[in-house]
């Protein structure tokens, strides 16, 4: 048997994309789509216990994060969310009354999420300021969480078998404790997608 993966795009959009690449001196031999490209990365970086299984890859990008569910590195469902890292940063800037650039730095360098695991740890001391800051991060992430829930529901209604794990990548995925936060919501193991260190070895640190 053969499996065929088809994707459709407007000719105008593809022509414009190729023109933008040519302006910076790139002339591609092949143009693919994000879920298929992610699948090829997974072939080189998936943990042994996840090989051949269903995984959900969440790219928390700046403008248009994607949620892709793959079986044996081949796409099953792909969804592009309308709410991304830019919106999280914008929400932080408004609520903390700081500039957008400051909010971007706060998000990835100092942002954190207080999880149930922290609350149950008797050695963990949580201050009112930390509680308030965590709630700002949590509320700004709620639209993304909703998009993930809807994509998982669409997948489960068709395929029944739950994903073995979630893999997160993109700038917003660097928020400390985000993987624990998502694990508690979805009851699925969550890992950072550290594909660069897997492909080129430990000489390149994943930023």
């Amino acid at each position: 048997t053969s499996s065929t993966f088809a994707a459709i795009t407007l000719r105008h959009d593809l022509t414009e994309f190729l023109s933008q690449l040519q302006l910076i001196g790139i002339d591609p031999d092949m143009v693919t789509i994000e879920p298929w490209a992610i699948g090829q990365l997974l072939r080189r970086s998936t943990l042994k216990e996840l090989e051949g299984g269903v995984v959900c890859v969440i790219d928390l990008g700046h403008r248009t994060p994607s949620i892709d569910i793959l079986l044996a590195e081949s796409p099953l469902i792909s969804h592009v969310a309308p709410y991304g890292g830019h919106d999280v940063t914008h929400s932080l800037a408004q609520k903390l009354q700081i500039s957008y650039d400051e909010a971007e730095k706060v998000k990835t360098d100092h942002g954190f999420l207080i999880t149930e695991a922290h609350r149950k740890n008797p050695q963990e001391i949580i201050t009112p300021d930390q509680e308030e800051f965590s709630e700002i991060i949590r509320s700004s992430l709620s639209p993304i969480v909703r998009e993930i829930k809807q994509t998982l529901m669409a997948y489960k209604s068709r395929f029944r078998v739950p994903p073995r794990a979630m893999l997160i990548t993109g700038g917003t995925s660097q928020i400390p404790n985000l993987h624990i936060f998502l694990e508690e919501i979805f009851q699925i193991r969550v890992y950072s997608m550290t594909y660069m260190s897997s492909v080129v070895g430990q000489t390149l640190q994943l930023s």
Side-chain angles (χ1 to χ4, degrees):
T1 61
S2 298
S3 296
T4 302
F5 188 91
I8 300 172
T9 186
L10 293 175
R11 185 178 300 174
H12 170 268
D13 292 343
L14 181 60
T15 303
E16 184 179 353
F17 176 68
L18 292 172
S19 298
Q20 291 172 351
L21 291 180
Q22 289 172 352
L23 288 174
I24 56 175
I26 296 175
D27 184 18
D29 293 320
M30 180 181 70
V31 175
T32 186
I33 59 174
E34 185 171 343
W36 200 255
I38 287 174
Q40 298 309 303
L41 283 173
L42 288 177
R43 292 182 189 278
R44 302 188 179 196
S45 64
T46 305
L47 297 170
K48 288 292 181 184
E49 60 265 32
L50 300 180
E51 285 183 359
V54 178
V55 295
C56 177
V57 179
I58 302 168
D59 179 6
L60 295 169
H62 189 60
R63 291 282 182 181
T64 52
S66 64
I67 305 161
D68 301 297
I69 299 178
L70 303 98
L71 169 63
E73 294 84 44
S74 296
L76 294 175
I77 286 181
S78 182
H79 174 61
V80 177
Y83 186 96
H86 159 77
D87 301 283
V88 174
T89 305
H90 184 69
S91 177
L92 280 173
Q94 282 189 322
K95 292 176 180 176
L96 297 176
Q97 297 185 331
I98 57 178
S99 71
Y100 183 90
D101 290 341
E102 288 173 319
E104 184 68 27
K105 187 170 179 62
V106 163
K107 181 180 73 175
T108 54
D109 292 354
H110 307 292
F112 61 92
L113 285 158
I114 297 172
T115 65
E116 290 303 312
H118 292 98
R119 298 186 194 282
K120 292 176 181 177
N121 184 352
Q123 297 181 333
E124 194 80 42
I125 300 173
I126 302 171
T127 67
D129 285 343
Q130 288 175 325
E131 190 79 61
E132 181 182 1
F133 188 63
S134 175
E135 186 54 38
I136 292 173
I137 297 281
R138 182 186 295 268
S139 62
S140 65
L141 286 170
S142 59
I144 294 176
V145 170
R146 185 170 60 248
E147 294 287 336
I148 297 171
K149 282 182 178 178
Q150 291 174 347
T151 305
L152 287 174
M153 287 173 61
Y155 161 75
K156 288 177 181 177
S157 68
R158 290 178 57 190
F159 297 99
R160 307 297 178 189
V161 182
R164 289 187 187 177
M166 282 185 181
L167 301 173
I168 56 174
T169 185
T172 301
S173 71
Q174 297 176 50
I175 295 175
N177 304 327
L178 178 62
H179 67 290
I180 303 174
F181 171 72
L182 293 175
E183 281 182 353
E184 291 180 350
I185 292 174
F186 296 106
Q187 298 297 299
I188 300 173
R189 292 298 303 273
V190 179
Y191 302 92
S192 293
M193 192 175 172
T194 55
Y195 44 83
M196 288 303 293
S197 58
S198 298
V199 172
V200 301
Q202 298 304 319
T203 55
L204 179 63
Q205 199 71 27
L206 179 69
S207 66

